[in-house]
Each structure stands twice: as C-alpha cells, then as structure tokens.
C-alpha cells in the first residue's frame, strides 16, 4: 500500500468511527501558504501552478499530514458563494496583505422580486457580472487548474478531502445583504418572501450539486458551510426555518451520492448540536473552529459522526508551541482517538507560526508512538 492509499484509508476509517493507527491530521492551508512558502501574495494568487507548488511545499513543512482541505487557495471563489465583492492583494490593497471580503448591501429587496419573477439562475448570472465584476470569469484559472492540482497532491501522497462547496441560501444572502439588513429588514419584516426566495436559490444549488455528483468528477467530500445561520444568532424557530433545513438537505444529498459532507461550522453551534443527529451515522465530518465546545459536540454526536478541529487561529498565531501541543493532545484523548481528525479551526491564519502549526502533527505522532 502506498502512502496515498494509507492516508486515505486512515481518513475513511476516522469518518466511519473505526479505530486508526494514528489520528489523521488535515491541513487547513489558505493565505498562510504564501507567507510560509516565501512568495509574494499577488504572485501566489495570479499563478495557479505556483499556488499549487507552494501549497505542496508548505504541507510538507507542516509535518506528517494525512490530507488537505483544498489544493489551491484563491479569494476569487468567495464572491459567487457570499454575493460580496473582495479586495485582492496587488490590485485593491497592498501586495502582501491578506485578501478582504467587502460586506455591503449589494443585494436589495428589489432583487428578491426579480428572483421570484424570473428565477434565481438568470438573476444570479446577471448580478455577478454587473455587481461583482464577473467572478466566474476571474476564477476560471482556479477551476481550470483544479484537476491538475488535485492530481499533483495525489502524486505527492496527499488526499484532498474537500473538492466541492454546497451553498446554503442563508449564507449567500446574508453576505450579499449584510448581516444587519438581512436579519432585521428581511427575516423579521418579510420572512415569507425570504422563504420563497430561499426555495428558488436552494433548488438551483441542489441541482448544480447533484449534477456534479453524477459526473465523472464526483468529489470525495464537499464543504457544507454555516457561519452566520447559527443557533447562537437565530432563535430555534428561525434556525429551523431558515438555516437547518437547507443544511440538512445539502448534507443528505451528498450522502445519497456517497460524498462525505464536511460540515464546516464556524462560530458557536452549542445550542444546535443535537440537530445533526438527524443525519445518517458514520457519513459526515463535523469541522469546528474553536468557538463551539468540542467536548459538547463529542457528547452530542460523537457516536454518529467524525469530529475535526479545532485548534484556534489565535493560538496558532500568538500561542506557544507547547500550548498547541497540549491543546491538540487533550482533544486526541478526549474527543478521539476514534472518530476524530486534527485540524486548525477553519483556515490556518495568515500570521501563524510554523513551529506552532507543526505541533498538531507532532501530537498525533507522539500519541501513536505510545
């Protein structure tokens, strides 16, 4: 068995809640790769071959890594998902700064009427060209190079566990409307209209995802994200109506096609962990960012799904190596060793310290050697 096969078997065992010889360690590289790899951010973002090369190099620097979440890093994938503009290094902001999402009310309530009258797809494609500077064209270098990047990581021995994004209506519109306007002006004032718009968006997203799952490029896993439609922001009634039902259906669609849903849960989900028991057992990864109590998550769903995370960004940036090591080891012992994978909470931050990042893998190695 080669190293790639060994690693992907280990990941599959963790998802199936089976014993593993070593806790899998998953890379959460993003902009940090350019910093650690010693290249200009604008060069890194404008050259996908360089982007992939640096990502492979930095993954190797991190220690004994079992898999990656994405082979390329680019802010150009964000506008179609969040309906928001971005500021890009070397173009809108200084060359080596971190890219930025510009949150503003670029979607209006008049757009809701247009969606309901003519459907979401036609509105979506027109909106992205007119309001978001045509991100589909801008991200073409990313999508064109992606199969090559996945294969290059394969040859380097690293499985890519996340090869698709399954988008929920809540997160898309919350980005395009902005948080305050969306919560107060829309969900509280015109909830029935919003729900009708959600149905149009969700139908489009489900159809696109199902087409991908039926294709020859079916992904190993798909990112099902939630960061604002959370039970810490919404009442239980609003959470069930506007957030959970769509996340559940997206996750179930992936499962139906033997694609692993990676439930990327940013922010605090403590009050909603029990909902995830509705999903089929041993089919999902719950990825936490350090804001959700991972021990509560283990108690709530640890008998049904693999938990991944949740070394906080601030610890990787400002903590000491022993802090990261001890934090990771505690999770290996209390959340694992079965049904657990080590990863940063969300992405590794732009200002992380490599020695801190390496401690995640060292903890896995040391625990396996016992």
């Amino acid at each position: 068995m080669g190293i790639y096969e060994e690693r992907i078997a280990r990941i599959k065992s963790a998802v199936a809640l089976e014993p593993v010889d070593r806790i899998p360690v998953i890379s959460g590289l993003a902009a940090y790769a350019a910093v650690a790899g010693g290249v200009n951010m604008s060069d890194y973002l404008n050259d996908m071959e360089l982007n992939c090369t640096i990502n492979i190099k930095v993954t190797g620097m991190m220690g004994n890594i079992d898999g990656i979440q994405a082979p390329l890093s680019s802010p150009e994938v964000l506008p179609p998902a969040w309906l928001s503009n971005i500021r890009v290094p070397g173009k809108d902001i200084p060359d080596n700064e971190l890219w930025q999402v510009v949150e503003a009310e670029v979607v209006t309530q008049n757009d809701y009427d247009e969606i309901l009258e003519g459907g979401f797809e036609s509105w979506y494609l027109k909106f992205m060209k007119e309001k978001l500077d045509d991100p589909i064209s801008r991200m073409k270098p990313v999508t064109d190079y992606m199969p090559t990047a996945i294969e290059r990581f394969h040859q380097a021995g690293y499985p890519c566990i996340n090869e698709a994004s399954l988008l929920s209506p809540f997160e898309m519109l919350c980005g395009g409307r902005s948080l305050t306007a969306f919560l107060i002006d829309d969900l509280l004032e015109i909830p029935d209209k919003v729900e009708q718009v959600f149905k149009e968006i969700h139908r489009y997203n489900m159809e696109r995802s199902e087409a991908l799952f039926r294709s020859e490029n079916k992904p190993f896993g798909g990112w099902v994200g939630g960061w604002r439609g959370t039970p810490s922001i919404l009442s239980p009634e609003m959470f069930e109506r506007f957030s959970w039902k769509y996340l559940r259906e997206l996750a179930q669609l992936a499962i139906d096609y033997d694609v692993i849903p990676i439930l990327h849960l940013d922010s605090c989900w403590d009050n909603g962990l029990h909902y995830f028991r509705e999903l089929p057992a041993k089919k999902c990864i719950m990825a936490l960012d350090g804001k959700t109590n991972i021990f509560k998550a283990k108690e709530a769903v640890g008998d049904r799904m693999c938990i991944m995370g949740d070394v906080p960004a601030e610890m990787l940036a400002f903590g000491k190596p022993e802090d990261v090591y001890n934090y990771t080891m505690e999770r290996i012992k209390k959340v694992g060793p079965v049904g657990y994978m080590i990863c940063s909470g969300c992405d590794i931050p732009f200002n992380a310290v490599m020695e801190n990042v390496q401690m995640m893998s060292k903890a896995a190695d040391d625990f396996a050697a016992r």
Side-chain angles (χ1 to χ4, degrees):
M1 179 184 294
I3 188 65
Y4 178 91
E5 290 74 21
E6 176 185 320
R7 286 168 170 166
I8 201 164
R10 187 176 292 128
I11 291 167
K12 288 180 177 179
S13 293
V15 175
L17 307 188
E18 297 170 353
V20 292
D21 60 333
R22 176 182 179 271
I23 305 296
V25 183
I26 305 299
S27 166
L29 281 179
Y32 172 68
V35 179
V39 298
N40 284 332
M41 185 63 66
S42 58
D43 293 338
Y44 174 76
L45 297 180
N46 289 323
D47 183 341
M48 289 300 104
E49 183 176 0
L50 174 65
N51 193 297
C52 183
T53 298
I54 292 299
N55 287 347
I56 293 172
K57 173 185 174 180
V58 175
T59 300
M61 293 167 60
M62 291 168 58
N64 190 2
I65 302 299
D66 290 282
I68 62 164
Q69 292 198 66
L72 298 173
S73 302
S74 173
E76 300 296 353
V77 303
L78 300 176
W82 293 352
L83 303 183
S84 300
N85 282 297
I86 54 173
R87 293 193 179 106
V88 179
K91 177 183 176 183
D92 311 297
I93 55 178
D95 187 67
N96 273 320
E97 287 194 8
L98 179 62
W99 59 74
Q100 302 168 11
V101 176
V102 182
E103 182 161 326
E105 293 182 45
V106 289
V107 177
T108 70
Q109 289 187 351
N110 290 334
D111 289 312
Y112 291 167
D113 295 325
E114 189 172 338
I115 291 170
L116 294 176
E117 290 171 5
F120 179 69
E121 182 174 12
S122 61
W123 173 87
Y124 182 57
L125 297 177
K126 175 184 174 185
F127 174 83
M128 286 195 292
K129 285 187 176 181
E130 294 182 353
K131 297 293 183 69
L132 302 184
D133 192 27
D134 196 12
I136 297 300
S137 296
R138 298 204 320 266
M139 67 185 287
K140 192 173 186 300
V142 181
T143 55
D144 285 351
Y145 196 78
M146 187 64 72
T148 300
I150 292 172
E151 179 58 26
R152 289 184 63 190
F153 267 94
H154 186 155
Q155 294 301 319
Y158 301 112
C160 178
I161 69 170
N162 174 24
E163 299 172 14
S165 292
L166 285 69
L167 306 175
S168 80
F170 190 102
E171 305 299 352
M172 293 179 77
L173 284 180
C174 190
R177 288 285 289 136
S178 81
L179 180 62
T180 302
F182 187 60
L183 292 181
I184 296 176
D185 298 340
D186 298 354
L187 295 188
L188 292 181
E189 297 297 329
I190 52 170
D192 293 341
K193 176 180 278 192
V194 171
E195 188 168 41
Q196 291 302 311
V197 173
F198 270 29
K199 289 178 181 178
E200 292 294 324
I201 298 174
H202 188 57
R203 183 183 303 112
Y204 174 78
N205 288 339
M206 291 281 282
E207 288 174 355
R208 289 186 68 194
S209 295
E210 186 167 16
L212 174 61
F213 297 160
R214 288 179 178 271
S215 75
E216 61 181 13
N217 297 318
K218 186 178 83 168
F220 174 83
W223 184 84
V224 182
W227 52 93
R228 286 185 168 176
T230 74
S232 63
I233 290 179
L234 302 175
S235 69
E237 179 183 11
M238 292 180 71
F239 176 72
E240 292 176 7
R241 182 180 181 184
F242 293 110
S243 183
W244 170 244
K245 63 184 292 185
Y246 301 101
L247 293 177
R248 183 188 64 232
E249 290 180 13
L250 288 166
Q252 186 63 58
L253 177 67
I255 293 168
D256 289 345
Y257 283 91
D258 197 28
V259 174
I260 297 172
I262 301 169
L263 304 162
H264 187 101
L265 306 181
D266 289 339
S267 191
C268 181
W269 289 73
D270 288 355
N271 295 333
L273 292 169
H274 60 284
Y275 287 97
F276 293 91
R277 296 193 64 83
E278 298 176 17
L279 295 172
K282 304 179 182 181
K283 299 291 185 180
C284 304
I285 298 170
M286 176 179 281
L288 304 176
D289 73 348
K291 301 299 185 289
T292 298
N293 186 318
I294 198 170
F295 304 117
K296 287 185 177 180
K298 173 69 173 180
E299 182 178 348
V301 299
D303 62 333
R304 296 189 62 81
M305 65 180 61
C306 177
I307 297 172
M308 184 170 79
D310 66 343
V311 183
E314 58 269 26
M315 183 177 290
L316 293 173
F318 304 115
K320 298 178 180 178
E322 56 266 33
D323 296 333
V324 178
Y325 182 88
N326 292 336
Y327 187 96
T328 305
M329 189 64 77
E330 181 185 34
R331 273 138 187 79
I332 291 174
K333 294 176 180 178
K334 294 184 179 180
V335 182
V338 172
Y340 175 60
M341 296 197 292
I342 300 166
C343 189
S344 56
C346 195
D347 295 330
I348 296 173
F350 183 63
N351 57 343
V353 176
M354 177 56 75
E355 190 176 2
N356 289 348
V357 173
Q358 292 168 338
M359 288 299 103
M360 295 187 287
S361 177
K362 177 171 172 49
D365 288 339
D366 289 352
F367 187 82
R370 293 183 176 184

